[in-house]
Amino acid sequence: MKVTEYFEKANGQTLISFEVLPPLKGGGMQAIFDTLDPLVEFKPPFIDVTYHREEFIYKKRPSGYYEKTAIRKRPGTVGICASIMHRYGVDAVPHLICGGFTKEDTENVLIDLNFLNINNVLALRGDARKFDPKFIAEPDGHKYALGLVKQVCDMNNGKYLDANIENGEKTDFCIGVAGYPEKHFEAPNIDADLLQTKAKVDAGADYIVTQMFFDNQKYFDYVDKCRSIGINVPIVPGLKPLTKKYQLNSIPRLFFINFPDDLVKEALKANDSDAIKEIGIEWCIQQSKELKAKGVPCLHYYTMGDPATIRRIAEAVY
Ligand code: FAD
């Protein structure tokens, strides 16, 4: 079923969903099962699986020169999605990114997904590769998520890249896209960013999932701004608890978001790792309860390989 159909069927109830990362190359599906087994009892109708593009590594050659090699450290998103659907009987949402993909690569992945009866995708641009100064698209790839959304919509209308294909099979993908309550870091301002998000929705995106935030007011303001410019699709809040002290610096640096003052003050008072985790869990529970009380369509938790923490939050909220 499509993600948006779950929202409609829920009739105002707040659903729960989770995002998992593929294991590092060499790992197996058990890592995913170990994350999801403790969480499926909360009945997520869908589970997202992230996609990770290749990274450059430098290998020293016998000559002393370094060889630049591209490797994908976390492959397997499509297979993981199929395996999740098979084991748990829930829908899986693969993340699709522009980075590292030509349009034809994307088309072929969409064909595989369609054959596997996976008909939900989250369409993203992806970040710059480590060591690249900015995002670089493939020569025949999409520069922005908008192009990806349009390509998926084309296939939903039976339009493939090869113009000789007539009456192509119409796929039926439900398309999610990313949104940033605290603005995407490259956008000149929040209004400019919102216009780009609106372009994705106008092109056919069915719903938005937000970047994590720790201040619910940022999410409420974001939803109001979206509505005021005619973005009327469901906006799913993405949530992650603070669990370690160093994240007070690493999360803002990596995700370009701010921590609210009260949380920072509490966290700085904590004198051991258990105490900071308790503060983070309690904060996320309160955030979740408030969002649920306001009737958000779904609470989407970034599990980051820590199901025990997410389970404690889910137990307190559902
Ligand atoms: P876009 O919508 O393309 O926007 C990127 C930037 O370009 C924005 O600043 C926007 O304002 C601007 N822009 C857009 N269109 C135009 C235009 N036509 N002209 C000028 N400027 C424009 N990354 C991964 O690699 N794998 C994942 O699995 C993954 N999952 C994610 C899940 C969620 C819920 C979120 C919020 C992010 C995720 N990301 C993931 C990170 C995401 O790829 C990055 O945040 C990336 O930098 C932007 O992706 P986007 O789809 O929002 O890009």
Side-chain angles (χ1 to χ4, degrees):
M1 215 158 105
K2 294 180 177 183
V3 165
T4 45
E5 286 172 344
Y6 287 115
F7 297 154
E8 281 154 26
K9 236 180 77 182
N11 219 0
Q13 295 291 307
T14 299
L15 303 174
I16 187 168
S17 64
F18 305 110
E19 178 188 284
V20 293
L21 271 70
L24 285 168
K25 192 179 269 189
M29 270 307 290
Q30 196 54 46
I32 300 283
F33 299 150
D34 289 345
T35 299
L36 291 177
D37 283 353
L39 298 175
V40 282
E41 77 178 66
F42 299 103
K43 304 208 180 323
F46 60 92
I47 289 163
D48 279 48
V49 183
T50 56
Y51 192 96
H52 300 261
R53 78 177 292 186
E54 80 284 9
E55 285 175 35
F56 288 130
I57 55 159
Y58 290 86
K59 281 190 192 157
K60 196 169 187 184
R61 309 274 299 159
S63 61
Y65 286 109
Y66 283 86
E67 184 185 26
K68 189 178 176 189
T69 321
I71 55 160
R72 274 189 60 211
K73 292 189 175 171
R74 293 182 186 271
T77 298
V78 173
I80 292 169
C81 284
S83 181
I84 286 174
M85 286 171 69
H86 179 69
R87 181 176 170 106
Y88 300 110
V90 302
D91 275 290
V93 184
H95 291 190
L96 283 186
I97 59 173
C98 306
F101 279 77
T102 64
K103 290 174 191 163
E104 204 202 341
D105 294 335
T106 297
E107 183 169 275
N108 292 339
V109 170
L110 289 167
I111 288 170
D112 281 345
L113 294 174
N114 184 44
F115 289 168
L116 286 164
N117 206 19
I118 296 172
N119 49 20
N120 292 287
V121 293
L122 193 72
L124 303 147
R125 187 194 69 180
D127 280 321
R129 261 178 314 226
K130 214 171 169 181
F131 306 126
D132 279 349
K134 59 177 185 158
F135 175 83
I136 301 169
E138 291 300 298
D140 187 29
H142 299 293
K143 272 172 127 173
Y144 297 107
L146 174 63
L148 194 49
V149 171
K150 286 181 177 167
Q151 185 175 3
V152 181
C153 287
D154 278 349
M155 281 186 63
N156 281 350
N157 289 315
K159 189 174 161 200
Y160 289 69
L161 294 172
D162 179 353
N164 293 318
I165 298 175
E166 287 174 16
N167 303 316
E169 157 132 326
K170 289 185 180 174
T171 56
D172 192 20
F173 289 105
C174 173
I175 309 167
V177 290
Y180 302 84
E182 297 180 58
K183 177 180 104 57
H184 184 262
F185 71 100
E186 290 169 24
N189 61 40
I190 184 83
D191 293 333
D193 198 25
L194 277 167
L195 287 178
Q196 304 299 355
T197 305
K198 184 170 188 309
K200 295 189 277 191
V201 172
D202 290 346
D206 298 293
Y207 69 103
I208 295 170
V209 186
T210 75
Q211 182 57 278
M212 68 181 80
F213 55 88
F214 292 83
D215 176 354
N216 283 353
Q217 197 53 48
K218 299 252 165 75
Y219 167 84
F220 298 134
D221 292 347
Y222 179 73
V223 173
D224 286 347
K225 280 193 174 132
C226 284
R227 301 305 181 227
S228 74
I229 61 163
I231 298 176
N232 293 316
V233 296
I235 302 177
V236 175
L239 294 170
K240 179 198 154 7
L242 173 76
T243 53
K244 301 192 175 65
K245 209 166 208 168
Y246 71 76
Q247 292 172 340
L248 286 174
N249 303 109
S250 66
I251 288 179
R253 178 165 39 83
L254 295 170
F255 299 100
F256 305 93
I257 57 163
N258 287 312
F259 282 108
D261 240 6
D262 289 352
L263 177 56
V264 175
K265 278 184 193 141
E266 278 281 296
L268 289 176
K269 273 192 259 161
N271 38 26
D272 63 36
S273 55
D274 285 346
I276 192 117
K277 198 166 189 172
E278 287 308 310
I279 290 165
I281 289 174
E282 189 50 35
W283 188 275
C284 192
I285 289 172
Q286 294 313 323
Q287 265 196 284
S288 304
K289 283 184 172 170
E290 187 186 22
L291 290 162
K292 191 163 173 257
K294 296 267 183 189
V296 301
C298 182
L299 295 173
H300 184 71
Y301 293 100
Y302 300 115
T303 61
M304 314 293 272
D306 185 0
T309 294
I310 302 298
R311 192 185 153 81
R312 278 196 47 201
I313 296 162
E315 272 173 338
V317 178
Y318 286 87

